[in-house]
Each structure stands twice: as C-alpha cells, then as structure tokens.
Amino acid sequence: DKRPYGVREVIDTESRYVNGLQKMESVFLKCPNSPIPDSTKSVIFRNLRSLIVLNGQLLRQLQSAGVDGDVGAVLKNFAPYLKLYKDWVSGQSDALQAIHDLEKAPAAFSCVGGGARFSAWLESKHTEAGESLDALLITPIQRIPRYQLLLEELLKNSIPSMPEHGCEDLQEALRGVKEVAGIVNEAAADIARVKKLIAIEAQIVDLPYKLVAPGRVLLLEDTMWKVCRRANKEFRFWLFNDMLVYGHELVPGARVYRHHHSFPLFTQQGGSLVAQEWTEPVSNDIAK
C-alpha cells in the first residue's frame, strides 16, 4: 500500500515549505537594521504573513489527521484559499526588479547604503538562512505545481470504494489547485522573462534606462561586426521585440559591455506604431 507514503510526503514537504516561509520572514523581512526600505519590503514580501498563517494552519491540520486520517477533507477545505497565492505570484516580477534596483543603488542612497552594502547584507543572510532570498521568494510559486503532483499521486494510490481514502475530496482539491496552477504557469514565464532582462542589464555598463519593461522580450543575442567609418568593430547585440541595443566588451572574455547605442524598433506616428528603419550596416558574419 503506497498511500501512507504519499500522505507522509504531503505532510513532510508541507513542513519544510512552512519552515522556509518562516525563515524568509524572520531572517530577511524582520531583520533588525535591514537595509531594505519599508516601502520596498511591501513590494518584495507582499502577503507573506498571510501565506505563513494559511499554510501553518494547513500543516497543523495535516499533522492532526496523520497518515491514516482524512487528509482529503483537509486539502479540499484548503483549496479555496489558494486564491491568496494569486497576489504573491502576480507581484514576483516587481519583487525581482526591486531587489535588482537595491543592488544597483548608489552609495548616497541613505536607506540602503549603496548596492555594495545591500549585496553584502544579502550574502550574510544567505549564510544565516542557508538559502538565498531569490530561492525563498520562488518557493510559493513552486509549491502550487507540487500540490498538484502530490494530489495526483494520492489519487492514484487511493481506492474509491474506501470512504476513508476520501477520493472525492481529493478530486475536488485537485480541481482547485489546477485553477491556480494555470495562473502560476503564466507568472513563471513572466518571471523567467524578467530574470533574463535583469541579467542582461547587469552586463551592460552605462545603460541609461532600465531594460525591464512590461511586455519586453529578448528575441536574439549575439556578437557581430558593425561596419564603421574607419574600421569594422565587434559589438554585442541584443534584439528585443521593441528595441535593439548594442555595446562593446570592456575586457575580452569578461562578458561585461559598455552601452554604445539603442534604437527603438517602432515609432509613434498619428496614433499608429510604424517600424523604424535600421540604417547602419552590420556584417552578416557572426563572430564566433
């Protein structure tokens, strides 16, 4: 009978998950003398306290039911409250951008003490918590698909003719989880998009604006030769769905570039978007 092992997996993973949420709150959010401004804390940590309360209650009920108890009823009653996760999920792109902004903050920014101090603080808290802030922030998003897998495994090892297995309750809980899972999957794609933009921005020196923008997607990144007046020069190009950016590498092999120029792909003319013409020649030979 594999069902008891499935129930134990639900309880054990929930315990580790709640511990991670509590660690995020105690180590990062409520840290004395935190360099994170209060206004930014609400952006990064959003409704963390609500998730801790919700999942703490779920954990206690699962532990009370035990391996042989009616965990189906517990999970069914929990499923409607998963809507709390929508707020967390929808704000993760903003949270990533807020952390990136703090890491790049100038030393004169008194609330933080500069990006170097903030990064050092993050590293010290990473050591204290045993996990990075980025890793902890993503755990609520990872938990929803994990619930789906756990419920599907429980159903597979439950017998419908045995009322104590609570198959109907498990099926109802699974339906609730799947509704939220769709939202989570969309958010996960957006988070990956934002992480990529932040990583590129960190590589470009003297970039006069933020790369992260609603709907902006990287289409292509490569090194090419640009035809210049005196001699052809090697540049790194980033093609997005709305703009082209290029710059030259500061130190060979370091993958750090100085911003040279940016071009919008479209301009606004009479209320319509018109494709911008590219007039500077670029060699078709991609540098390898």
Side-chain angles (χ1 to χ4, degrees):
D1 184 3
K2 296 181 179 180
R3 190 175 188 279
Y5 295 101
V7 175
R8 175 52 58 191
E9 180 72 6
V10 172
I11 297 172
D12 289 348
T13 57
E14 188 66 20
S15 178
R16 292 193 292 270
Y17 171 58
V18 171
N19 181 62
L21 294 180
Q22 293 171 336
K23 193 184 299 182
M24 181 164 29
E25 181 182 58
S26 62
V27 176
F28 291 95
L29 175 57
K30 293 187 175 181
C31 168
N33 302 316
S34 168
I36 306 177
D38 289 340
S39 58
T40 307
K41 286 180 180 179
S42 63
V43 175
I44 296 174
F45 300 102
R46 299 184 73 85
N47 60 336
L48 174 60
R49 168 81 332 229
S50 298
L51 297 185
I52 290 174
V53 171
L54 173 65
N55 287 88
Q57 291 175 345
L58 171 62
L59 177 60
R60 288 189 292 273
Q61 291 173 12
L62 288 171
Q63 291 171 332
S64 178
V67 173
D68 299 319
D70 190 0
V71 296
V74 173
L75 293 168
K76 181 191 74 171
N77 294 333
F78 166 72
Y81 296 97
L82 285 172
K83 60 186 179 183
L84 286 174
Y85 277 76
K86 295 179 182 179
D87 183 43
W88 181 272
V89 168
S90 66
Q92 280 311 289
S93 294
D94 291 339
L96 290 173
Q97 180 64 59
I99 293 171
H100 179 60
D101 290 345
L102 290 174
E103 289 175 324
K104 294 185 66 177
F109 189 38
S110 59
C111 292
V112 180
R117 176 174 175 256
F118 177 71
S119 296
W121 178 83
L122 273 185
E123 188 61 34
S124 68
K125 292 302 170 182
H126 182 173
T127 302
E128 180 181 342
E131 295 180 84
S132 68
L133 178 57
D134 282 352
L136 289 170
L137 285 170
I138 202 70
T139 53
I141 295 174
Q142 295 171 330
R143 189 60 182 161
I144 299 300
R146 182 66 169 160
Y147 282 136
Q148 182 173 337
L149 292 174
L150 290 168
L151 284 165
E152 289 172 344
E153 187 66 20
L154 267 180
L155 275 168
K156 186 172 69 175
N157 295 305
S158 298
I159 302 174
S161 61
M162 298 181 67
E164 62 270 25
H165 282 191
C167 288
E168 291 185 4
D169 288 341
L170 289 173
Q171 289 171 346
E172 187 172 340
L174 182 57
R175 284 193 292 270
V177 169
K178 284 183 174 179
E179 288 180 9
V180 180
I183 299 172
V184 169
N185 290 337
E186 292 178 6
D190 191 57
I191 289 169
R193 177 188 69 84
V194 170
K195 281 187 172 182
K196 183 63 177 177
L197 293 176
I198 288 174
I200 293 171
E201 185 176 322
Q203 291 181 310
I204 305 176
V205 177
D206 294 337
L207 189 67
Y209 51 81
K210 293 180 181 179
L211 271 184
V212 178
R216 179 171 291 154
V217 178
L218 177 69
L219 302 179
L220 179 67
E221 174 184 359
D222 218 324
T223 301
M224 294 185 286
W225 291 89
K226 180 175 177 291
V227 180
C228 300
R229 292 179 182 177
R230 295 184 179 180
N232 295 348
K233 295 182 180 179
E234 187 179 79
F235 287 94
R236 190 69 174 178
F237 285 80
W238 295 269
L239 176 64
F240 303 94
N241 59 333
D242 63 339
M243 66 188 303
L244 176 69
V245 180
Y246 69 95
H248 64 272
E249 194 169 27
L250 292 177
V251 179
R255 294 186 64 81
V256 177
Y257 308 88
R258 185 176 300 282
H259 175 257
H260 188 79
H261 218 319
S262 302
F263 295 91
L265 298 184
F266 304 95
T267 56
Q268 192 82 21
Q269 292 184 14
S272 301
L273 286 177
V274 179
Q276 186 83 349
E277 183 179 358
W278 172 261
T279 58
E280 298 192 38
V282 178
S283 171
N284 290 327
D285 297 324
I286 298 176
K288 299 298 183 183

